[in-house]
Amino acid sequence: RSICFSPDGEEISASGSDGDVYTWNVKSWRCLNRFVNNDGSIVCSLARSSRHIAVGAESGVVNMFETVQGNPMRNQTRKSIMNLQTSADMVRFNHDGQILALSSRREKMGLKLVHVPSQSVFANWPTSNTPLHYVWATDFSPQSKFVAIGNDKGKCLLYKLGHYNQ
């Protein structure tokens, strides 16, 4: 149901309808780790940073695990983010793993940004005036100066991230 590479390209994490998350080494094709997403529902999306793996589920919960070479430490959730009311269709880390974007295609304005070090959801954006509509795709530019958001209206919205413009 979802697959992603580690930032260094040496590992692949994937999940099927069983809700388990598997991590393989690309060179040896060996399974390095398997763990159950604590949410208990089917995994919809995965994202990796150098220190974390984010697991989005059909329930809307996004669990974030700290990792050591792709293996979740102690298989315990570092943070459960419960800000979406419908399935977490997309999760994506920015280039340095400081921001996690999560969204649902089934929820109008269903996009949240999480500050990973503090484990808190940004309350000041998006606002009710941000014209997101239903979010279908999100990605960060290579140095995170921008975040691009594609919606169901066929628009690509581009926003500058002030912190990364220095």
Side-chain angles (χ1 to χ4, degrees):
R1 306 253 345 237
S2 187
I3 191 165
C4 66
F5 279 94
S6 61
D8 62 10
E10 295 193 14
E11 297 173 353
I12 295 174
S13 293
S15 184
S17 58
D18 61 359
D20 292 352
V21 178
Y22 301 83
T23 299
W24 286 275
N25 178 281
V26 172
K27 292 179 184 172
S28 69
W29 290 104
R30 292 183 186 211
C31 185
L32 301 174
N33 191 29
R34 172 184 173 216
F35 69 95
V36 178
N37 184 32
N38 298 352
D39 179 66
S41 66
I42 295 173
V43 173
C44 293
S45 55
L46 295 170
R48 294 274 307 263
S49 73
S50 60
R51 295 194 54 216
H52 298 94
I53 184 168
V55 182
E58 278 190 353
S59 65
V61 174
V62 175
N63 288 317
M64 190 169 45
F65 300 87
E66 275 192 87
T67 61
V68 175
Q69 296 178 339
N71 297 328
M73 296 169 60
R74 299 178 309 278
N75 288 345
Q76 293 180 359
T77 307
R78 178 172 182 223
K79 173 74 174 173
S80 289
I81 304 155
M82 299 183 225
N83 290 71
L84 296 176
Q85 304 302 312
T86 58
S87 68
D89 299 312
M90 188 279 315
V91 289
R92 180 96 63 237
F93 284 102
N94 75 327
H95 83 283
D96 62 5
Q98 298 288 307
I99 301 173
L100 172 65
L102 46 119
S103 68
S104 175
R105 293 178 182 161
R106 297 166 182 89
E107 187 176 329
K108 192 170 186 179
M109 298 292 292
L111 173 80
K112 302 295 179 190
L113 297 179
V114 178
H115 182 249
V116 174
S118 68
Q119 302 177 23
S120 59
V121 176
F122 286 94
N124 62 342
W125 195 86
T127 68
S128 58
N129 293 329
T130 310
L132 297 180
H133 214 258
Y134 293 92
V135 175
W136 278 71
T138 303
D139 205 1
F140 294 93
S141 64
Q143 294 303 311
S144 302
K145 291 183 180 181
F146 298 96
V147 60
I149 302 165
N151 67 20
D152 65 318
K153 299 287 186 188
K155 293 187 178 186
C156 179
L157 309 167
L158 188 63
Y159 295 95
K160 269 188 182 180
L161 299 177
H163 177 76
Y164 293 97
N165 280 323
Q166 302 168 11

